Amino acid sequence: MDKLLRNLLFSFILVMVSVAGKGYAQTCSTYQFRDNSVYATCIPLPVLNSFLHWNYHQSNHTVDIAYRHTGVSTSDWVTWALNVDGTGMIRAQCLVARQNSSGDIYAYTSPVTGYGTQLEEAPLSFGVPRISAEFRNNEITIFATLQLPTGRTSFNQVWQLGPVSGGTPLRHALDADNRRSTGTVDFLSGQVTEGGAVGPSMKKRNVSHQFFPSLFF
Ligand SMILES: *[C@@H]1O[C@H](CO)[C@@H](O)[C@H](O)[C@H]1NC(C)=O
Ligand SMILES: *[C@@H]1O[C@H](CO)[C@@H](O)[C@H](O)[C@H]1NC(C)=O
Ligand SMILES: *[C@@H]1O[C@H](CO)[C@@H](O)[C@H](O)[C@H]1NC(C)=O
């Protein structure tokens, strides 16, 4: 019974995400990148003015992504992350972009290990051979290539934004949308879901916590 309810809820969320997605489809698929890059898939993420564009290469299990976050300024940090063996913020393998002390938008990787994170730069649990970012028309876009962990194409994802002060990312707001910016992405099928979980974390998941993500992410 519990399982049935969960499946119903899951289907409902899938439908809601696809309905919500339709309204933004134009903004997604017609977007022109400055270098005329073309991505086979684009999904508007359900909250926080974010879009995920990607090309998945089955031959080498890499994905080229462009994560766009609209309506931001150069005093914001933005991040998009895969969480390979968890959900939400803890253990999120983040791609981060923010202004650095030279005043340029700078992109780097940051694995989150605890709630006190200041998004310090360090390697992720999987390879990221290429990462860069640009700020244009009040949008920050992070471009990166990810060497995906083997054996799967579906992952938990999380995305976020917050303020930068004195070169340090500060804690983000805790509005409803900042708490809802998690879900799953399947790079092969092109499916995204809101709030669900895939992978090893699924079994450990405490369903009653599902819609109350942690403080920072
Ligand atoms: C992966 O393969 C694709 C084509 O199949 C190629 O364009 C791309 O450069 C490769 N990526 C890496 C990181 O080797
Ligand atoms: C800031 O980022 C730019 C672009 O990545 C880089 O060229 C520059 O060296 C960085 N400055 C500092 C102080 O890290
Ligand atoms: C799940 O979370 C609730 C609320 O915090 C708690 O009461 C319950 O014991 C937890 N269940 C498991 C299996 O961890």
Side-chain angles (χ1 to χ4, degrees):
M1 191 59 192
D2 184 28
K3 200 168 182 186
L4 177 67
L5 276 176
R6 230 181 301 168
N7 285 341
L8 279 174
L9 183 63
F10 188 65
S11 311
F12 174 73
I13 289 168
L14 271 183
V15 168
M16 291 310 285
V17 169
S18 66
V19 167
K22 294 261 153 51
Y24 291 100
Q26 291 301 92
T27 326
C28 214
S29 58
T30 61
Y31 184 79
Q32 285 270 320
F33 286 92
R34 197 163 48 86
D35 67 355
N36 295 318
S37 287
V38 175
Y39 294 89
T41 309
C42 172
I43 302 279
L45 298 178
V47 292
L48 300 180
N49 305 321
S50 296
F51 300 87
L52 188 66
H53 305 249
W54 76 83
N55 287 322
Y56 170 65
H57 306 295
Q58 209 153 6
S59 58
N60 50 21
H61 201 46
T62 64
V63 64
D64 301 322
I65 68 124
Y67 167 72
R68 281 198 301 127
H69 199 128
T70 70
V72 292
S73 80
T74 51
S75 53
D76 291 312
W77 57 264
V78 305
T79 188
W80 173 86
L82 290 184
N83 198 328
V84 176
D85 50 17
T87 55
M89 167 193 179
I90 299 296
R91 290 185 283 179
Q93 303 294 303
C94 298
L95 311 180
V96 184
R98 63 176 170 85
Q99 200 171 45
N100 67 11
S101 56
S102 325
D104 299 308
I105 290 293
Y106 174 64
Y108 63 97
T109 62
S110 176
V112 170
T113 54
Y115 292 109
T117 184
Q118 293 190 317
L119 296 173
E120 298 88 348
E121 184 166 356
L124 301 186
S125 64
F126 49 82
V128 181
R130 181 185 68 100
I131 182 167
S132 64
E134 69 174 25
F135 176 77
R136 197 164 64 104
N137 302 331
N138 296 313
E139 300 185 8
I140 293 177
T141 306
I142 301 178
F143 302 93
T145 297
L146 316 183
Q147 293 167 331
L148 293 173
T150 53
R152 50 193 283 218
T153 56
S154 186
F155 299 91
N156 295 318
Q157 63 172 344
V158 54
W159 60 100
Q160 198 51 268
L161 87 162
V164 175
S165 177
T168 304
L170 301 184
R171 185 164 283 224
H172 65 77
L174 295 172
D175 297 343
D177 285 353
N178 301 91
R179 293 164 179 267
R180 281 181 54 216
S181 53
T182 67
T184 70
V185 56
D186 187 327
F187 292 114
L188 183 59
S189 71
Q191 290 278 343
V192 297
T193 65
E194 191 176 342
V198 293
S201 60
M202 207 159 178
K203 289 191 187 71
K204 283 180 266 163
R205 198 169 179 83
N206 186 335
V207 171
S208 63
H209 284 156
Q210 195 153 328
F211 298 106
F212 301 95
S214 53
L215 275 185
F216 195 95
F217 271 39

